[in-house]
Amino acid sequence: EKPGKKGGSEFSVLHREHFKNLFGIAVCGKVAYTVGQDRSVVATNLDTARLVYNLPCFAGFVYTIASNPIDPSILAVGAGDSQIRVWRTGGEQLFDVTNIHAKLNQCKVMSLAWHPSREGLLAFGTDEGRVGWVEALGGSRMANFSTAQHRGGVYSVTWGPCVVGEGEGLALYSCGDGKVLQHSMKTGKAIDIQESLDKANGSEGARP
């Protein structure tokens, strides 16, 4: 707000970052913070009217976070709002975040695992039992899913050598509802490897 020429006040626009209703405004020092219905926090410098950052907030609990083994500055975050966020913390922007939501429906992303040698390949597991993978650093970022599914939440996904069958490269493994599945990205099919694990451990295993 500035004094007007005729004794009143004139206003200047600080930013147009929000695309829905504004919920609140707060000022700390020379930075104004605004939050809106679009679930973003926007920080703007009051002196220069320059954007400090626009931070997309989470619409649900954060369930998992995974650091890329090839570039540890790249983080993947899974939350309860049907999205995977890929945050490039080493970028020129303070918050360089890409949202992946295609084909995730209304799921909660409960587990994540980056491939140890393919930089952009990210595996994930959901609360409804689905297991999938996505080229998180690519252009399309379209998720693919295994044809097999757990009966409940997938609490862990990881990459490792094939236990059953012969495959090229690493297989994807998932753990949920008391069993471990080995997934093939080539065929999209999965194998229950609990019997193989029981033989290797010399036990029958406890199955639900």
Side-chain angles (χ1 to χ4, degrees), residues 20 32 129 137 174 178 187 202:
K20 288 189 176 182
L137 305 181
S174 63
T187 64

Side-chain angles (χ1 to χ4, degrees), residues 62-120:
V62 177
Y63 289 99
T64 179
I65 185 169
S67 176
N68 189 301
I70 299 175
D71 184 353
S73 70
I74 301 176
L75 302 176
V77 183
D81 59 354
S82 310
Q83 295 190 64
I84 299 171
R85 289 167 174 81
V86 178
W87 185 4
R88 294 172 174 83
T89 62
E92 295 182 358
Q93 301 179 24
L94 183 59
F95 294 103
D96 185 356
V97 179
T98 300
N99 294 335
I100 299 173
H101 53 81
K103 294 186 179 181
L104 294 182
N105 300 334
Q106 300 300 315
C107 75
K108 299 174 183 177
V109 180
M110 301 188 67
S111 53
L112 293 167
W114 291 98
H115 193 281
S117 59
R118 289 179 56 179
E119 183 178 13

Side-chain angles (χ1 to χ4, degrees), residues 3-139:
K5 295 180 180 179
K6 297 182 180 180
S9 299
E10 63 181 41
F11 299 86
S12 59
V13 176
L14 188 61
H15 70 76
R16 294 184 174 89
E17 293 294 315
H18 294 289
F19 58 89
K20 288 189 176 182
N21 297 341
L22 208 62
F23 281 160
I25 302 174
V27 176
C28 181
K30 296 182 179 181
V31 179
Y33 298 88
T34 60
V35 293
Q37 192 179 3
D38 55 2
R39 300 186 181 118
S40 291
V41 177
V42 178
T44 314
N45 188 296
L46 288 170
D47 287 343
T48 63
R50 296 191 62 174
L51 179 69
V52 180
Y53 62 78
N54 185 337
L55 176 62
C57 295
F58 294 98
F61 291 109
V62 177
Y63 289 99
T64 179
I65 185 169
S67 176
N68 189 301
I70 299 175
D71 184 353
S73 70
I74 301 176
L75 302 176
V77 183
D81 59 354
S82 310
Q83 295 190 64
I84 299 171
R85 289 167 174 81
V86 178
W87 185 4
R88 294 172 174 83
T89 62
E92 295 182 358
Q93 301 179 24
L94 183 59
F95 294 103
D96 185 356
V97 179
T98 300
N99 294 335
I100 299 173
H101 53 81
K103 294 186 179 181
L104 294 182
N105 300 334
Q106 300 300 315
C107 75
K108 299 174 183 177
V109 180
M110 301 188 67
S111 53
L112 293 167
W114 291 98
H115 193 281
S117 59
R118 289 179 56 179
E119 183 178 13
L121 184 58
L122 178 67
F124 60 89
T126 72
D127 66 316
E128 75 243 305
R130 293 192 297 165
V131 177
W133 51 92
V134 61
E135 290 289 349
L137 305 181

Side-chain angles (χ1 to χ4, degrees), residues 193-205:
I193 63 169
Q194 190 63 49
E195 184 177 345
S196 298
L197 294 175
D198 291 343
K199 288 181 179 179
N201 294 321
S203 63
E204 295 182 359

